[in-house]
Amino acid sequence: MAANGQANGKTGSHGQNIEFYAGHSRFEIELEFVQSLSNPYYLQHLASQKYLENEEFVAYLAYLQYFQDPKYLRYLQYPGPTLRALEMLQEERFRKEILIPAVVEAMVAEGFEAATAGLGR
Amino acid sequence: MLSSFRASYQRVEQSLQRLTESIASYNPSATAADELLAADEAVSEILDQLVIHQSNHIRIEELRRQTEKLDETLKTTLQLLADTRKQIIAIPSSTPSDEPRRQVKAEDLLAYAKFISKTTVPPTFRKQPPPIKSENAQAQITNGIATPPLGAQDQDNAHTTGIENVGTKALSEVQRKMLDPNNRMGFSPWPSPIVIQNGALGEIQRMVENGQDPASVLTAEEQAELDRRNKEDEEREKLAQEEAERRRMSMFDTGAVRRGRRESVFNPDDL
């Protein structure tokens, strides 16, 4: 993956290379971020920092939905919880409710259950 | 066979007749008697031959019958083989090469399964006896509600250093209570705070804290280009410096300097 954004013609508003940041490609960073969303405690942290109320952030979350495509899905190491969290984050109600600790704990419990359900489903 | 019989019989008859003639003419000839004896022997020989002949004949008949039987068997077997072959060919064949290709290749699927094996359980996983677990889960949720005030404070303090401490504490508590240490599940279904910290995002966070601008980190290509440009600049500077030196020298050149340091000693003879 060419990390040289200037060669692709992709430059940000300040003329910098948006495909490459701090030694990693943009895809790499987005992949890491979307997977860390699967951790309910991280979501709680984001909510407490008021990120989930930022319009730009919400738009970015909507943009991240491209990971549902099999072409990008194959790079997810935690596919289940990641996609579930992504899906739920699209709804405003969830974004508000994730501030409630009980909801976070319920999500943790649900996550573990879903991951270990196996044939019990 | 029959002709030889007749011949031998005739011989016997002849010899007998000769003998009787000779006896009738009061001239018994011993030769005639010998001849009769020989003829008789010949007949008995012929009889033996007859026995052998007959037994041979019977054997031939028997063999003939056997070949016929074997021929029959052979014919039936061949017929059966032909029929079976026809049946086999007649079976509707499903050739595997014509099977429509699936959406995802088998190798890709297996590689992906290996990829996520550390973070997922296979669908055949069976849980431990449920009653004990659900009790623990209940207790856990109540504990979870009790921890938030502390958690919120810590989170505020830990803003600049990421989400490590509280996340780890609460998570490991949950892990400890919900997971039986003897259970196979030694993984977490999402990246733990440590994992997140060691990733690219954590790296960026640390760079920001240290005052470095992450955007200033260059790719390998850009770095190489920068290095090349720096080298060029250096070379140019060096050349320019040398030029300047030379020009300076030439400006104050008294001839003596050009000839070297030794000549700079004042020599009155040169004046």
Side-chain angles (χ1 to χ4, degrees):
Chain A
M1 260 188 245
N4 192 354
Q6 270 151 4
N8 297 343
K10 289 190 184 154
T11 49
S13 47
H14 307 292
Q16 81 274 40
N17 181 358
I18 67 168
E19 285 298 324
F20 187 74
Y21 190 71
H24 300 279
S25 69
R26 178 167 72 95
F27 179 70
E28 210 178 315
I29 295 173
E30 285 183 3
L31 180 66
E32 270 199 25
F33 178 67
V34 81
Q35 287 189 103
S36 23
L37 290 178
S38 60
N39 187 331
Y41 294 107
Y42 186 61
L43 292 180
Q44 192 182 37
H45 168 75
L46 288 177
S48 67
Q49 302 300 320
K50 306 278 190 243
Y51 277 110
L52 298 186
E53 294 167 23
N54 184 342
E55 259 186 40
E56 279 185 4
F57 194 77
V58 174
Y60 183 61
L61 290 176
Y63 156 73
L64 282 178
Q65 284 188 297
Y66 74 83
F67 273 104
Q68 289 171 355
D69 189 295
K71 213 175 6 169
Y72 304 106
L73 182 60
R74 51 189 296 218
Y75 294 102
L76 292 181
Q77 270 189 317
Y78 306 89
T82 304
L83 291 176
R84 178 109 177 97
L86 197 60
E87 200 183 305
M88 296 208 281
L89 276 170
Q90 303 305 319
E91 290 177 33
E92 196 183 325
R93 191 178 145 196
F94 178 73
R95 293 197 291 271
K96 291 205 163 63
E97 284 189 351
I98 199 73
L99 268 167
I100 305 168
V103 172
V104 173
E105 294 300 327
M107 198 171 161
V108 168
E110 191 199 351
F112 272 115
E113 284 303 301
T116 59
L119 283 175
R121 239 178 296 164
Chain B
M1 199 81 230
L2 195 61
S3 52
S4 56
F5 254 123
R6 266 200 219 108
S8 58
Y9 274 142
Q10 264 186 0
R11 196 173 147 206
V12 168
E13 272 184 31
Q14 274 181 8
S15 59
L16 189 61
Q17 205 177 13
R18 221 174 293 137
L19 188 59
T20 47
E21 276 179 6
S22 68
I23 289 175
S25 64
Y26 290 106
N27 189 17
S29 67
T31 50
D34 286 334
E35 210 185 301
L36 181 63
L37 269 171
D40 190 44
E41 271 181 33
V43 170
S44 52
E45 260 183 47
I46 298 267
L47 278 172
D48 287 337
Q49 269 189 19
L50 177 65
V51 170
I52 294 171
H53 174 85
Q54 286 293 85
S55 63
N56 280 350
H57 181 71
I58 288 171
R59 186 156 159 73
I60 284 173
E61 288 288 303
E62 211 180 288
L63 288 174
R64 211 174 273 144
R65 252 179 285 129
Q66 215 175 14
T67 50
E68 269 181 29
K69 212 166 62 167
L70 288 174
D71 279 340
E72 273 298 315
T73 319
L74 207 66
K75 225 168 55 167
T76 49
T77 311
L78 280 174
Q79 186 67 34
L80 190 66
L81 213 63
D83 288 340
T84 317
R85 184 174 168 278
K86 271 200 211 109
Q87 280 183 12
I88 289 173
I89 291 176
I91 294 172
S93 57
S94 57
T95 49
S97 56
D98 292 349
E99 204 179 280
R101 288 251 168 259
R102 294 174 193 275
Q103 255 188 330
V104 183
K105 289 218 179 90
E107 302 111 19
D108 291 344
L109 202 59
L110 285 172
Y112 186 63
K114 196 171 156 198
F115 184 54
I116 58 174
S117 60
K118 284 215 189 92
T119 62
T120 44
V121 286
T124 51
F125 181 76
R126 286 189 193 277
K127 277 206 278 216
Q128 301 291 324
I132 307 165
K133 252 198 169 176
S134 59
E135 273 175 17
N136 283 349
Q138 283 290 335
Q140 204 37 52
I141 289 177
T142 48
N143 283 349
I145 296 173
T147 49
L150 190 66
Q153 256 188 12
D154 279 351
Q155 274 188 351
D156 282 338
N157 294 342
H159 164 54
T160 47
T161 52
I163 15 89
E164 323 89 297
N165 301 326
V166 175
T168 323
K169 244 187 273 168
L171 193 61
S172 49
E173 216 180 319
V174 172
Q175 270 180 337
R176 253 180 281 129
K177 290 248 168 77
M178 275 193 106
L179 303 174
D180 187 6
N182 302 329
N183 201 349
R184 267 179 287 148
M185 196 172 111
F187 65 92
S188 61
W190 45 68
S192 70
I194 301 170
V195 170
I196 297 177
Q197 263 195 306
N198 292 342
L201 291 176
E203 205 181 303
I204 292 172
Q205 181 70 35
R206 284 190 289 275
M207 286 179 86
V208 168
E209 286 160 26
N210 293 338
Q212 282 176 296
D213 175 22
S216 65
V217 176
L218 305 165
T219 61
E221 303 161 334
E222 288 174 347
Q223 190 64 37
E225 218 189 288
L226 191 69
D227 285 339
R228 195 169 43 83
R229 240 181 284 143
N230 283 350
K231 225 176 13 166
E232 281 176 12
D233 286 342
E234 270 181 35
E235 282 182 22
R236 241 180 294 133
E237 260 187 48
K238 226 175 31 176
L239 283 172
Q241 252 187 5
E242 284 177 12
E243 268 293 319
E245 270 283 321
R246 242 177 279 140
R247 247 181 284 127
R248 213 167 8 97
M249 300 276 208
S250 66
M251 274 211 285
F252 299 115
D253 182 29
T254 55
V257 180
R258 239 192 229 166
R259 275 188 242 118
R261 290 267 166 120
R262 297 227 186 95
E263 310 265 344
S264 65
V265 173
F266 179 69
N267 192 353
D269 293 339
D270 281 346
L271 286 176

